[in-house]
Amino acid sequence: MTYDYDSTSRTVKAGGLTLHYHEAGPEGASAEAPVVIMLHGGGPGASAWSNFGRNLAPFARAGLRTLLVDQPCFGRSDKPELDKDYFTYSANAVAALMDELGIAQAGFVGNSLGGGTATRLALDHPAKAGRLLLMGPGGISVNIFAPDPTEGIKHLFAFNSAPEPTREQMRTFLTTLAYDSSVVTDDFLQERYAQATDPEARLGAARMGAAFANPAWAERTMLWREAHRLTQPVLLTWGREDRVNPVDGAFVALKTIPNARLHVFPHCGHWAQTEKFDEFNRLAIDFFTH
């Protein structure tokens, strides 16, 4: 069975939005196969496939029905004007997607922005959320030692706010995400730059940014204030050298979430699913299947 972009690509109308996602599962699996939904980060040019495309096959082969979802304002999903904070808006969209697909409950992998969405979904729609694997998640982390905004967030803002963002700005941002900058190949750089400078992608980034800048919605993004309400098993995963959401941000969540544990990957930045591909897959699949 192949797990390439085109063969796994799906589109559905849910909650008034057109949402794009990728789906794969074990061959011959029943509708009762456990479901894992992966939610990507929020950097320029990000998408479900860019973040998790390589991870789809190992999860599917492990018996998990796996969905990689383009969150609103990203990838091939709609780029609407938001009427509430981003985490709530995206969580509601994913909940509507689950309803449309007949998925009663799923485990979640949330990277950065996607970690915030997964957390908000678990708080607002607790029956829909099983186990949560949160990778350097936004909203739930509180930096104790690292300054705000962090190095990675500064570079993200610089790219998104530039009238004509450059490839060098993209390279600077992407290398901030990785411990080993060699993972940012010229081909990968060009792919992300082309995605990020597409007019639709720039519109989505602007609308997401406007939601985070709205002071009326700021409290809803401070997920660390509500983390104590999470009842699901939570696996916090962090790259020790993360320069976007540094590892010291994990400790408030670890202290306040009742059923949380923390795994730190050494020699790893913000992309554990890429830089620690085999180790991450083993850890995550074991978490969702045992």
Side-chain angles (χ1 to χ4, degrees), residues 147-158:
D148 278 319
T150 62
E151 181 184 0
I153 296 299
K154 286 179 181 177
H155 291 315
L156 184 153
F157 287 161

Side-chain angles (χ1 to χ4, degrees), residues 28-189:
S30 73
E32 302 305 313
V35 180
V36 172
I37 296 175
M38 298 187 179
L39 300 174
H40 59 81
S47 68
W49 190 260
S50 176
N51 258 197
F52 293 116
R54 289 182 63 225
N55 305 95
L56 183 59
F59 275 70
R61 290 176 180 138
L64 296 165
R65 180 185 176 191
T66 308
L67 283 71
L68 321 180
V69 179
D70 284 341
Q71 297 188 75
C73 297
F74 289 90
R76 289 168 56 188
S77 289
D78 281 347
K79 283 79 177 172
E81 288 191 59
L82 306 186
D83 58 0
K84 53 180 64 69
D85 73 279
Y86 186 84
F87 291 144
T88 303
Y89 192 96
S90 186
N92 290 345
V94 174
L97 172 70
M98 293 174 68
D99 288 341
E100 188 67 25
L101 298 180
I103 298 171
Q105 187 180 87
F108 285 87
V109 176
N111 178 211
S112 198
L113 179 80
T117 297
T119 301
R120 175 51 70 195
L121 188 146
L123 290 167
D124 290 0
H125 308 274
K128 292 184 180 297
R131 293 175 170 238
L132 306 178
L133 192 159
L134 307 176
M135 307 168 51
I140 202 168
S141 61
V142 180
N143 295 338
I144 300 171
F145 306 116
D148 278 319
T150 62
E151 181 184 0
I153 296 299
K154 286 179 181 177
H155 291 315
L156 184 153
F157 287 161
F159 186 97
N160 283 344
S161 63
E164 297 291 337
T166 66
R167 283 179 176 77
E168 276 312 300
Q169 285 178 304
M170 175 61 81
R171 186 186 298 278
T172 299
F173 170 69
L174 291 177
T175 53
T176 305
L177 300 182
Y179 171 75
D180 179 1
S181 61
S182 69
V183 303
V184 183
T185 63
D186 288 343
D187 287 345
F188 181 62
L189 170 66

Side-chain angles (χ1 to χ4, degrees), residues 105-109 129-133 232-235 259 261 286-290:
Q105 187 180 87
F108 285 87
V109 176
R131 293 175 170 238
L132 306 178
L133 192 159
Q232 298 86 350
V234 176
L235 177 57
N259 193 5
R261 71 289 317 262
D286 182 72
F287 179 63
F288 287 116
T289 58
H290 292 89

